[in-house]
Each structure stands twice: as structure tokens, then as C-alpha cells.
Amino acid sequence: MTPTPSSAQTAAVATAASATATNPLLAPWAGPYGGVPGFDKVKVEHFKPALEAAMAENLREIDAIATNKQATTFENTIAALERAGQRLDEVQTVYGIWSGTLSSPEVQAIQREMAPRLAAFSDQINQNEALFKRVEAVYNSPEKAKLTPEQQRLSWLYYNNLVRAGAKLDAKAKTRLSEINQQLAGLFTKFSQNVLADETDSVLVLKTTADLVGLPVSLRDDAAAAATSRKLTAAGVITNTRSSIEPFLTYSDQRKLREKAWRMFYNRGDNGGVHDNNAIISQILQLRAERAKLLGYKTHAHWRLDNTMAKTPEAAMALMEQVWTPAVARVKQEVADMQALARKEGAGANFKIEPWDYRYYAEKVRKARYDLDQNEVKQYLQLDKMREGMFWVAGELFNFNFSPITNVPVYHPDVKVWEVKDKTTGQHVGLWYFDPYARTGKRSGAWMNAYRNQQRLDGQPVTTIVSNNSNFVKGKEGEPTLISWTDATTLFHEFGHALHGLSSNVTYPSLSGTSVVRDYVEFPSQVLENWLPTPQVLQRFAVHYQTGKPIPQALVDRIEKASTFNQGFETTEFLASALIDMKLHLAGDQKIDADKFERETLAHLGMPREIVMRHRTPQFSHVFSSDGYSAGYYSYLWSVVLAADAYSAFTEAGGPYDKAVGQRLTKNIFSIGNTVDPAQAYRNFRGRDPKIDALMRERGFPMAAAKKASAAPAKSVKKAAGKKS
């Protein structure tokens, strides 16, 4: 007998139905390509009621699964969970876009209110005892052996995720866990908004043309455009984003201004006042430590890494320590070279390289040693041409064709969209959205997002929609945007994530595309970086923005010769962030002063005084704006070991465009999502576990130094990477 709904339930259903009828966020995605987000209909006031209605609907779906009177099966439990929550996924996708790229005081107010509520909502599902019993029954059932390998993997994933989220805790512990998650959600939001405020509100005003000395024409134009957009009467403005700051630190001859720019950027979240993040970090760490203990783990780091390729913090630390010592040794050589050049140019005997000098003098040394001026290289790196180069690589490796389309709505005029098809069959694969430029309200950095995952749960193929987002400074109207070699590498990196999503060929959405463990997800993106410097890309797409002539081979040769230059700096600034992240989360429940901990830990590690962490703790959004990369920033290094080793499979065969190796890469890595254990997937591609050797060669580090740096030799890293999830 079906129970009679209460008046409150009836009212809730009626309210949800009314909201669906009037709120465009709650309408199914309509239009071509299997439906697309209706960005043109979205208003900020739609978000809160849409989230509330979608959460209520999802809870009804979960309740129906949990209270199903029929015998528990994969289909009525696990597959049913895969079908549940689609409307909420779509609402949160659009909400996330506004939060990350169109943030405003109104959006931020909604974030502050809804973040704890969304966390509580997730816990309501994760802590549903009846639901867990059904998932557990499927996972432990003898009938599981009759399921397909993908269904078995999905059953394990649901069971493991629920256990890790506290499904087995008693009622008191569950209540406290939910309180912690809600508090953390609020703190994550506050942390992010503080960093965004410092990025938005702080700029370096270049008052006169004297302040522009040393800057290349393209950077002067960008700075002038930024001043105009901010309605400031000045020679230029340097905005507080990496894509603006790093070129300024590289080329500005004004040392005092370099120091100002450097302090503005590296002190984000660390300036005292209402936007200071240090107290928030301390609270986040305390709550994470308490949560880990509730869940039965020694520390937050142990909880986070339990479900990764590394498996333990010790394995991740072993890899980082192997690379740290040779990287720091290289920095000492780099600094000595810069000091010598500075003195040769007339710097006093007491002159010392400071952090705001490093990029400036490194560029001078690069030019002197390799006759390589990065500004010269930049003249050949037009953003649009580099994008075309990425498309060409995708065609060669993945058989994709990209065609621009204008028949779908976008959320900002800067956003452009391409349809992706199979080159041979013409079959629709998905859509790629590109949002390349910095603007007020857009978080800094570069990232990929999936608006919709590929799947064929009900037999009808659902194609993916992915996006890439960058923060390039838009130049003069009608002129090409020139980007640095580092920016071009980042562009290829993020496109690698997009290709991971576009290549997906699985049944269940939870296993689709980039839905893999943290220290594996960066592997496909890291490996794609290797195709930027190939002659096929550079000769065809690296063309001078004025003459249209391809980059000279002599310049390409100089780029190749300088490929290991400054690797001490680049590796050390990254590893410092990764090591601080791990050590913060291995510290357990001790009360931490973030600034003091950072300072003392770096001193203990022997951090060169001329370098700072790539992401200082008060602005470390990877780690403190969500749980995403917490105790997991090491994963970029773990993944690049895989990427360097994987690319060696091409160089050992017929070269970067070897068809047979490319097909193995697609079949075993890019297309399978999380349907196969990642360590096994890598073995299926490479025929063995990964080795660190290729990474050390790429960076010009001696293997002997790496092996000597740690009690764990390189083969231990190989074994750790091969452990099963």
C-alpha cells in the first residue's frame, strides 16, 4: 500500500513543480547536440530556488531507491543511482560557471549561503543507512561476479565512496561529520572569495612611460588596454593575475616596480584585514584532522591518499624527496649564473638576487647562453594559431575534427564553441567551449570543466560537453593575442583534460572521462604538453603575427637546447607547494599558524631564499578552496612521471605521431575513464610500470642524485605507482 503523503510533502512537490515551470535552470537542456545549457536565460536570482528544488527532487529519487521493496539488484540500486540527480548536476554546472567566471557580490552571497547547505545535502545522501545497505548488498553479493567488469568497478566505487564518506559511522559520529563538512564548505567559500577580492581589488598602476621600460610591445599594449578597461589615466595597469604578473617580472627594468608587483601577487590572502586567509587555513586544518580521525584515519593526508595510485603519504613523499635535492642543487647553479651576469652588467658587489629578480635575470641568462629571447618566441605564438595547432594534434592522435558553431548560447561574449566530430565517420563526439580571457569576477588560473559527461546508460548515447578556461590578457581590438611559451604549454595541458573527456567511451557517467583518481587525472593533460614543441606543430602554427612566416628552425633549435634551462626554479617552486601541502596535512590536529609553518618548514627543507612557493599557503586555492587537491598537489609530479614515461613510448617507436602507440594511448588511457584500475590501465598501455628515468632526463637532473636523495630508490616509486586502487 502506498503511504499517503503529508501536507508538507504535497506542498513541497507543488512548490518544486511551480519552480520548474518558471525557473529556466530547472528546465531540461534543450536545443541541438542532445541539449545544451541555456546560458542566455540565466539570471542570478534563479540559482538559489533552482538549487533548492533540484536538491529536493534528488532526495526524493534517493528515497525511492533506498525504500524499494524489491530484492536488491545492480539495476535497481547502482544503475538507479546513476540515473538520479541529473537535474541537480545541470543546475550545479551552470551555478559553478557563474561562481568561477562571472562572480559578483550577488553570486558570492548565494555561495556563502548555499555552500553549507549543499554539504549537508551530500551528507544526507552519504549517511542514508537504507541506501548504504542496498549498495553494500550489491557489492557483497555472489551475483556480482556475473556483472560486467565496468559494472563491478562501479559497484566498488559507490561502496568505497560511501564508506569513505562515513556510511559506517554511528549516529553521533555522523552528526559531527556533517557539522564538520558544513563548516568546511563555508570556510572554502570564504577562502576563495578572499583570494578573488585581492586579485580584483589590487593592481599595479604604471604611471608614466618610464614605468614601461623593458616591457615588450605586446605587454605594453595589454597594460594600456587594462588601464582603459578600468578607466584609469595611466601608461598602463598590471592586473593581479599570473598571466599579467609573470611577464612583468620577466621584462620590467624597474626593480622597485618588480618588487611591488611580486609582493602584490604573492601576498594575496596574506595582507591582514577582512580578506586575510591565515585564520581560515588554521580552522580548515583543524576540521580536516578531526574528520580524518572520525573516519578512522591517522591524518587527513592518509584519508585522501587511501584512494589514489600513491596509496600512502609516504609513497608520495618518497617521490618528491627524490626530485627535491637535484632540483635545489640546480637552483644554486642558476642563481650563481644570474649573480655573475648581474655583476657583469654593473650591479654592486653586495647585490643579491631576490625573488622579484629571478625571472628577470633568468631571462637574461637564457638570452646570453642560448641566444634565446622568450619575447622573440612570443611573436610566433598567437593564441588563435596555438588553438588551431591543438585541434590539429587532436586530429592526428584522436581522429577528431573541430568546427566552430554559433547556434548555441554562451554565458559571455568572449566564449566560443566548437563541435567535435570523428574525422573518418563524421559522427558527433561532443562540444568544446573556450573561455580564454581574464575579466573581473573570473578566478585566476586555467582549468577544464565537463558540463556533461559522456555515457550510454540507457542504450542511447549521450555525448559530452567540455570547456577550457584561461586568463590571457586581451590585447588591442583586432590584433592577435600573443602568449608566452609557458602559456602555450598550459594551453596544451588543459586541452589534454578536454581530450580526456571527449575521448571517453564508457557506459556509466560516474566512470566517464576525467572521473579518475587525483594523481592520475593530470596524466593525460601532462602528456599532451609534449606535442607543443614537435616540428609538425611549430612549423605549421607557430607563425609570426606580422609576417605570417613560420618560426625559424634555428629558433626552434635554440628552444630545444634551452629545454632544461631554469628547471631548478620551475621544479622547486612547484615542489615547495606540494611538500608544504603534504606536511600541513600530516601534522594532525596540532594548532597551526600558517605563515609560521610555511616559513619554518621551508627553512627546514632548505628552500632557496631566491624562490617562493608557486602557490603560497594563504592563496593556495588548489588546497583550501575545496578538498580537491588537499594533500594531493603532489599529484602533478606523480602524473608527470607517468607522462614522461608514456611519451617515451612514442619516441622509442616511430615518433610523436606514431599511429600504433597513439591508438594504444586512446584505447588504454583516454577512452576508458575510471572503468579500469589506473595502475593496470597504464600497464596495459606501456607493458610495464612507469619509471622515473624519463622525467629526470627531461629536466636535466642526474639520476644518481635522485637515487642518493632518498632511502627509497627509483624502483620504489615504480612499485608505489603500480599499486591497485
Side-chain angles (χ1 to χ4, degrees):
M1 181 177 177
T2 304
T4 304
S6 67
S7 58
Q9 289 173 320
T10 302
V13 172
T15 300
S18 175
T20 302
T22 59
N23 192 323
L25 280 172
L26 293 168
W29 289 0
Y33 314 110
V36 295
F39 293 130
D40 54 334
K41 299 180 176 65
V42 176
K43 295 181 179 178
V44 173
E45 57 264 30
H46 293 145
F47 286 123
K48 181 182 173 182
L51 288 166
E52 291 172 335
M55 284 191 290
E57 178 183 274
N58 195 194
L59 287 176
R60 291 193 298 274
E61 294 168 333
I62 296 299
D63 185 61
I65 297 168
T67 60
N68 191 335
K69 301 302 182 185
Q70 296 179 346
T72 302
T73 65
F74 174 88
E75 187 61 31
N76 67 21
T77 302
I78 305 298
L81 283 168
E82 286 292 90
R83 294 184 179 93
Q86 180 177 338
R87 195 188 307 271
L88 180 59
D89 285 345
E90 292 177 351
V91 172
Q92 286 190 290
T93 292
V94 180
Y95 175 57
I97 291 168
W98 255 251
S99 300
T101 71
L102 295 169
S103 187
S104 64
E106 294 77 18
V107 172
Q108 291 178 18
I110 295 170
Q111 285 181 283
R112 289 191 292 271
E113 179 183 355
M114 295 305 297
R117 292 178 61 182
L118 286 163
F121 161 78
S122 294
D123 284 330
Q124 200 171 343
I125 295 174
N126 292 334
Q127 297 180 7
N128 186 313
E129 291 187 21
L131 178 69
F132 177 66
K133 285 180 180 178
R134 292 184 70 88
V135 170
E136 187 177 39
V138 175
Y139 180 69
N140 290 328
S141 171
E143 296 296 306
K144 189 174 71 172
K146 298 178 182 179
L147 300 176
T148 68
E150 186 175 344
Q151 290 171 336
Q152 291 183 42
R153 179 78 175 171
L154 186 63
S155 300
W156 167 82
L157 183 68
Y158 268 102
Y159 174 78
N160 190 56
N161 285 350
L162 287 172
V163 170
R164 287 173 51 78
K168 288 188 172 183
L169 298 179
D170 60 33
K172 182 179 178 181
K174 283 181 177 178
T175 298
R176 178 55 188 152
L177 181 64
S178 187
E179 291 171 354
I180 290 171
N181 287 336
Q182 291 175 62
Q183 287 177 272
L184 282 170
L187 291 168
F188 295 155
T189 300
K190 193 172 182 182
F191 182 97
S192 299
Q193 292 183 358
N194 284 345
V195 175
L196 182 60
D198 276 356
E199 290 174 348
T200 301
D201 298 343
S202 301
V203 297
L204 177 66
V205 178
L206 307 178
K207 298 177 182 178
T208 68
T209 54
D211 293 342
L212 303 175
V213 175
L215 302 184
V217 173
S218 61
L219 187 53
R220 292 184 184 211
D221 290 344
D222 292 347
T228 300
S229 69
R230 289 175 177 264
K231 299 179 180 178
L232 294 174
T233 303
V237 162
I238 301 300
T239 56
N240 204 11
T241 62
R242 191 176 296 279
S243 58
S244 185
I245 291 291
E246 288 187 354
F248 185 79
L249 293 177
T250 301
Y251 295 110
S252 174
D253 289 338
Q254 300 287 1
R255 194 181 191 212
K256 289 183 178 179
L257 289 178
R258 291 204 308 269
E259 181 179 356
K260 283 185 178 181
W262 182 90
R263 293 190 183 281
M264 178 177 74
F265 187 67
Y266 285 99
N267 285 336
R268 290 168 297 149
D270 195 25
N271 292 304
V274 295
H275 299 311
D276 193 276
N277 273 331
N278 286 287
I280 292 174
I281 292 168
S282 181
Q283 294 174 67
I284 288 173
L285 293 171
Q286 291 278 295
L287 290 167
R288 281 175 171 165
E290 183 183 353
R291 179 177 60 186
K293 285 192 173 181
L294 271 176
L295 293 168
Y297 292 87
K298 183 180 177 182
T299 69
H300 177 76
H302 288 85
W303 175 60
R304 289 292 295 167
L305 270 73
D306 181 57
N307 187 30
T308 62
M309 289 187 76
K311 291 303 251 181
T312 68
E314 291 76 19
M317 287 294 293
L319 174 61
M320 290 191 282
E321 287 167 356
Q322 282 186 290
V323 182
W324 175 258
T325 299
V328 170
R330 175 63 63 81
V331 168
K332 291 178 181 177
Q333 297 171 9
E334 292 171 1
V335 170
D337 291 341
M338 291 188 286
Q339 287 280 177
L341 187 144
R343 289 186 181 128
K344 184 178 179 181
E345 289 189 342
N350 296 325
F351 177 86
K352 288 185 178 181
I353 299 292
E354 298 291 348
W356 45 88
D357 298 319
Y358 207 110
R359 293 180 185 278
Y360 179 75
Y361 282 103
E363 185 61 20
K364 285 178 173 287
V365 172
R366 187 198 317 267
K367 191 171 182 179
R369 180 173 297 171
Y370 300 101
D371 191 23
L372 182 62
D373 182 347
Q374 288 286 32
N375 190 50
E376 180 186 2
V377 176
K378 192 174 182 179
Q379 312 306 306
Y380 295 91
L381 302 179
Q382 302 172 58
L383 175 58
D384 287 347
K385 289 292 185 182
M386 287 297 98
R387 175 181 46 71
E388 290 175 16
M390 297 190 314
F391 290 169
W392 183 82
V393 170
E396 293 298 301
L397 291 179
F398 301 95
N399 208 40
F400 290 157
N401 180 68
F402 288 72
S403 301
I405 58 172
T406 57
N407 60 336
V408 300
V410 294
Y411 55 86
H412 190 277
D414 285 344
V415 180
K416 307 300 179 188
V417 189
W418 283 258
E419 182 185 10
V420 186
K421 292 182 179 180
D422 183 279
K423 280 171 61 177
T424 304
T425 66
Q427 182 178 354
H428 174 77
V429 172
L431 297 179
W432 184 70
Y433 288 61
F434 189 36
D435 183 0
Y437 300 116
R439 59 176 169 270
T440 301
K442 185 178 183 181
R443 67 181 175 92
S444 62
W447 65 96
M448 170 268 186
N449 191 21
Y451 298 170
R452 180 174 67 209
N453 283 330
Q454 173 274 330
Q455 50 112 333
R456 47 175 179 274
L457 177 59
D458 293 311
Q460 185 67 26
V462 175
T463 56
T464 190
I465 302 175
V466 298
S467 75
N468 280 148
N469 308 267
S470 305
N471 270 279
F472 299 114
V473 179
K474 190 186 291 188
K476 286 183 178 179
E477 186 69 29
E479 293 190 4
T481 298
L482 302 182
I483 63 177
S484 69
W485 183 263
T486 299
D487 285 337
T489 302
T490 301
L491 199 65
F492 270 69
H493 174 101
E494 296 303 334
F495 191 59
H497 285 305
L499 291 174
H500 195 183
L502 288 163
S503 300
S504 181
N505 183 22
V506 307
T507 301
Y508 299 98
S510 291
L511 299 174
S512 180
T514 58
S515 302
V516 297
V517 294
R518 181 61 65 192
D519 50 9
Y520 195 72
V521 74
E522 296 297 336
F523 164 36
S525 55
Q526 296 276 10
V527 78
L528 200 79
E529 294 179 16
N530 290 282
W531 275 267
L532 167 62
T534 60
Q536 294 89 333
V537 170
L538 294 182
Q539 291 169 8
R540 191 172 307 190
F541 303 101
V543 297
H544 196 278
Y545 79 105
Q546 289 177 325
T547 67
K549 292 183 178 180
I551 189 169
Q553 185 57 46
L555 181 54
V556 174
D557 292 342
R558 296 203 299 273
I559 293 173
E560 174 62 26
K561 287 179 182 177
S563 62
T564 61
F565 178 75
N566 216 32
Q567 283 296 329
F569 170 82
E570 293 183 13
T571 305
T572 301
E573 67 157 5
F574 159 77
L575 272 178
S577 293
L579 287 163
I580 288 289
D581 165 40
M582 189 64 75
K583 287 177 178 291
L584 280 169
H585 291 104
L586 285 171
D589 57 5
Q590 62 178 279
K591 187 79 171 178
I592 288 177
D593 176 325
D595 265 351
K596 182 180 178 184
F597 186 95
E598 178 185 302
R599 188 168 55 251
E600 292 180 350
T601 303
L602 291 176
H604 178 73
L605 288 169
M607 178 74 166
R609 57 171 293 279
E610 300 86 1
I611 296 181
V612 292
M613 301 160 59
R614 182 167 180 80
H615 304 285
R616 286 199 56 238
T617 313
Q619 68 227 207
F620 207 166
S621 295
H622 285 77
V623 173
F624 295 111
S625 65
S626 72
D627 279 327
Y629 280 86
S630 61
Y633 195 62
Y634 80 90
S635 61
Y636 285 93
L637 181 63
W638 194 278
S639 293
V640 84
V641 169
L642 300 176
D645 189 67
Y647 189 65
S648 294
F650 285 90
T651 58
E652 291 164 7
Y657 298 94
D658 185 279
K659 294 295 184 184
V661 181
Q663 287 171 3
R664 289 209 316 270
L665 187 71
T666 301
K667 177 183 176 182
N668 296 298
I669 305 297
F670 276 78
S671 70
I672 62 171
N674 194 19
T675 60
V676 179
D677 170 84
Q680 186 57 51
Y682 190 85
R683 292 187 203 105
N684 293 343
F685 162 69
R686 195 68 168 101
R688 57 166 174 76
D689 288 328
K691 297 178 182 179
I692 196 175
D693 306 48
L695 169 69
M696 301 302 285
R697 286 195 303 271
E698 277 188 5
R699 302 201 174 188
F701 297 161
M703 277 299 300
K707 291 177 179 178
K708 187 178 178 181
S710 171
K715 64 181 181 181
S716 296
V717 176
K718 185 171 64 173
K719 288 179 180 176
K723 289 182 179 179
K724 292 184 179 180
S725 298

